Amino acid sequence: MFFEQRQLTRTTQLALRPHGLYVCQRNGRGRTLLEFEMPYEEVLPVRVERTTSTPQLKWLPFALFWVATSVLQHAAKRPGGLTNLEWAAAFGAGLLVVGVYVYGQNNWWKHFTLGTARATINLLDRPSQRHTLDHFAQALDQRTKAYLKEHYAAVNPLGIIEPQLQRLHWLKHLNVVSEAEARALATRLTGQVPAAPLVSMGQVLDAPYVN
């Protein structure tokens, strides 16, 4: 899966490759600013956050009021006041300001943050790309879990047990395998049903297994 977002000063590309998440950022001239591939082992957990950073425009109403007052004072000194063309220009300027604000509110000041265990990727949360961004984040989470389950969830009862139990605990912690799947794999690995966890002085101890 591939995703690309073009901005005025940079272009960001994301891709799900066979062994990891590919990230590339280039400036407006096509020069590479950042490029790396994050292994799927370092991706989880995948986090999504949406934020809005509308600039503080407290000075804008005063500036507009000052401009409007100056125009009216200037028009009052002329016979006949403002012409129709001037009224149309003032109305068009007002619409332009409102339009720029609305466009910026939806395209410039809304941000989409895609977080992983090793990196945070910041993108614009444009209305036309919101569904695609959500779909990419879900695909990244599912692809990562499928990759980890395929490469790390297999157990070998003839191998060393302790590292495999630690790997199962890691997979369960990342929600790659469920509690029931982890228990079934541990039972297959050790040949016995895992007992209730041992607790000593408030700490959970690992149950002893003999290979």
Side-chain angles (χ1 to χ4, degrees), residues 11-103:
T11 298
T12 303
Q13 295 177 335
L14 306 176
L16 301 183
R17 289 185 170 179
H19 301 286
L21 170 65
Y22 172 76
V23 180
C24 179
Q25 285 188 346
R26 295 183 173 88
N27 60 16
R29 295 177 294 178
R31 181 178 180 183
T32 301
L33 303 175
L34 177 69
E35 186 176 22
F36 65 90
E37 182 171 337
M38 184 186 307
Y40 287 125
E41 289 85 351
E42 301 178 1
V43 169
L44 294 178
V46 176
R47 303 179 305 277
V48 170
E49 183 181 3
R50 282 186 161 90
T51 56
T52 302
S53 60
T54 304
Q56 299 297 324
L57 301 177
K58 297 180 180 179
W59 54 268
L60 185 59
F62 299 99
L64 293 177
F65 177 77
W66 181 81
V67 171
T69 302
S70 299
V71 171
L72 290 176
Q73 289 178 349
H74 178 71
K77 297 178 181 179
R78 297 187 316 177
L82 292 176
T83 65
N84 291 336
L85 181 61
E86 291 172 334
W87 276 114
F91 183 74
L95 288 180
L96 179 62
V97 171
V98 174
V100 169
Y101 179 82
V102 172
Y103 182 83

Side-chain angles (χ1 to χ4, degrees), residues 59-168:
W59 54 268
L60 185 59
F62 299 99
L64 293 177
F65 177 77
W66 181 81
V67 171
T69 302
S70 299
V71 171
L72 290 176
Q73 289 178 349
H74 178 71
K77 297 178 181 179
R78 297 187 316 177
L82 292 176
T83 65
N84 291 336
L85 181 61
E86 291 172 334
W87 276 114
F91 183 74
L95 288 180
L96 179 62
V97 171
V98 174
V100 169
Y101 179 82
V102 172
Y103 182 83
Q105 185 71 20
N106 288 279
N107 293 273
W108 296 337
W109 304 322
K110 290 185 179 295
H111 306 280
F112 180 93
T113 301
L114 178 62
T116 67
R118 296 293 182 182
T120 300
I121 305 166
N122 296 312
L123 301 163
L124 292 180
D125 190 20
R126 294 169 175 165
S128 60
Q129 293 183 326
R130 284 173 188 166
H131 176 73
T132 305
L133 286 171
D134 289 333
H135 182 62
F136 187 90
Q138 294 174 2
L140 173 61
D141 184 76
Q142 295 173 0
R143 178 71 182 92
T144 302
K145 290 179 177 179
Y147 178 90
L148 295 181
K149 192 170 186 178
E150 177 184 357
H151 288 81
Y152 295 98
V155 296
N156 179 15
L158 300 180
I160 301 176
I161 291 179
E162 188 62 29
Q164 297 185 73
L165 289 176
Q166 293 178 356
R167 192 170 66 223
L168 286 178

